[in-house]
Amino acid sequence: MDQLNFSGRVAVVTGAGGGLGKAYALLLGSRGAKVVVNDLGSARDGVGKSNFADLVVQEIKDKGGIAVADYNSVVEGEKIIKTALDNFGRVDILINNAGILRDKSFQKMSEQDWDLIQAVHLKGAYKTTQAAWETFKKQKYGRIIMTSSNAGLFGNFGQANYSAAKMGLVGLASTLAIEGAKYNIKVNTIVPTAASRLTEDILPPEMFQAMKPDLIAPVVAYMVHESFTDSGLIIDSTLGFATKAHLVHSQGALLRKKPSDPVTIESVRDNWSQVVNMENAQHIDKIAEVTVNLVEKLQV
């Protein structure tokens, strides 16, 4: 079986000093990619610094790979991409993995708790991706991963800030997949559950041991390979398992009997069971399909 390799490709991995990011960087480095290992080296709340990125770079080099460390914040994403261009002359792959947690119940959440999470997760991905976008367009090639979370898809107590940012990344990826299509820029979202600095004292010890980032890294590596042609996907992965998530619409219900009738609160109430009935739900792939389906149902 032919091994997929990344020879000649340059990958930027944010938050690559440990956990998932480290696993991505090591795997890509072992398969021939030149890697920019970005990490502030902060604790999971975004405070403090360390030399984690240097340690990962050394590990890649010890195994015969090529890598450089980058300690810039993702909020200054252009500096991270500059590190790639200055050292390797190009950038082909961007994995937006960096993240922090500031968990608090919603009522107790401070504005700083909210702003820091949005800055690192959502603005950081925007800044780093926008900085690489021009290069990707010029070379008509780019592979981008956004990192969401089940907390974003489904919500989780005490994580209103984190959930909002993580769902925001799904929207960002969906639009960039459309805008990047004609330039061979593929943008996809990973929803990983793995042992990391963020989950160290959240997961039960036995589960923490089992949820190895190494089990998710190959999924992400495949999604950033040049042979990967899908774009706009949401892929959930943990424990050596992967599944696709997507949005669906119910068949819905007409809220009035004929076009000349008004919609009333009571007509909404009387049709509500059909509005929320998910039997024969449809997968909506593009925004245009929402309008097309509506026109067909209304027969207008």
Side-chain angles (χ1 to χ4, degrees):
M1 187 172 65
D2 290 338
Q3 272 203 340
L4 298 179
N5 73 76
F6 294 83
S7 298
R9 298 299 183 193
V10 174
V12 172
V13 185
T14 68
L20 285 162
K22 178 180 177 180
Y24 302 154
L26 290 175
L27 181 55
L28 291 172
S30 74
R31 292 295 186 98
K34 296 171 182 173
V35 186
V36 175
V37 179
N38 162 263
D39 202 289
L40 270 181
S42 61
R44 86 175 168 201
D45 62 358
V47 175
K49 298 201 179 233
S50 70
N51 67 334
F52 289 144
D54 283 317
L55 298 176
V56 176
V57 166
Q58 194 55 53
E59 203 171 328
I60 292 171
K61 287 181 174 178
D62 288 346
K63 293 174 181 173
I66 300 170
V68 294
D70 179 276
Y71 284 97
N72 291 296
S73 167
V74 287
V75 179
E76 296 182 300
E78 66 281 359
K79 293 181 179 178
I80 302 171
I81 300 305
K82 187 174 186 298
T83 297
L85 297 175
D86 287 351
N87 283 273
F88 304 127
R90 63 183 292 124
V91 60
D92 304 282
I93 296 163
L94 171 60
I95 301 176
N96 289 298
N97 170 74
I100 60 171
L101 289 177
R102 286 289 181 104
D103 292 359
K104 287 272 176 68
S105 63
F106 184 62
Q107 194 169 6
K108 294 178 181 175
M109 188 173 289
S110 70
E111 196 166 343
Q112 186 187 42
D113 290 332
W114 177 271
D115 288 347
L116 276 171
I117 292 295
Q118 306 311 312
V120 173
H121 291 271
L122 194 50
K123 186 176 181 180
Y126 150 70
K127 290 285 285 183
T128 309
T129 304
Q130 191 179 57
W133 197 256
E134 186 180 357
T135 298
F136 287 163
K137 280 178 69 175
K138 281 180 181 172
Q139 66 196 19
K140 288 192 164 42
Y141 184 89
R143 296 291 183 268
I144 301 167
I145 294 288
M146 301 295 179
T147 304
S148 188
S149 166
N150 279 307
L153 300 185
F154 304 106
N156 195 31
F157 186 90
Q159 292 194 312
N161 49 1
Y162 180 77
S163 299
K166 286 307 191 186
M167 198 58 181
L169 286 162
V170 172
L172 177 60
S174 297
T175 292
L176 293 184
I178 295 167
E179 292 192 15
K182 67 180 179 180
Y183 301 104
N184 189 26
I185 303 171
K186 311 297 182 186
V187 189
N188 292 287
T189 302
I190 188 72
V191 179
T193 306
S196 72
R197 277 178 283 170
L198 296 195
T199 56
E200 201 163 3
D201 56 8
I202 296 171
L203 295 171
E206 63 279 5
M207 191 175 283
F208 185 82
Q209 291 300 321
M211 286 183 166
K212 295 173 181 169
D214 293 351
L215 297 173
I216 296 171
V219 179
V220 171
Y222 176 55
M223 289 165 70
V224 296
H225 192 263
E226 61 192 49
S227 65
F228 192 79
T229 56
D230 287 329
S231 197
L233 299 184
I234 305 167
I235 301 296
D236 189 335
S237 184
T238 189
L239 290 167
F241 182 81
T243 182
K244 178 187 174 185
H246 63 221
L247 296 174
V248 296
H249 271 200
S250 72
Q251 289 293 315
L254 285 168
L255 304 175
R256 53 187 181 173
K257 289 180 179 174
K258 52 182 190 279
S260 58
D261 290 345
V263 174
T264 67
I265 301 172
E266 290 73 26
S267 70
V268 175
R269 175 200 62 199
D270 294 344
N271 287 283
W272 193 252
S273 62
Q274 191 56 37
V275 170
V276 298
N277 180 2
M278 298 308 290
E279 189 177 341
N280 300 318
Q282 291 177 292
H283 172 217
I284 303 295
D285 200 37
K286 296 176 183 173
I287 197 168
E289 291 176 19
V290 177
T291 306
V292 170
N293 285 351
L294 188 59
V295 168
E296 288 175 353
K297 285 188 173 74
L298 295 175
Q299 296 180 332
V300 295

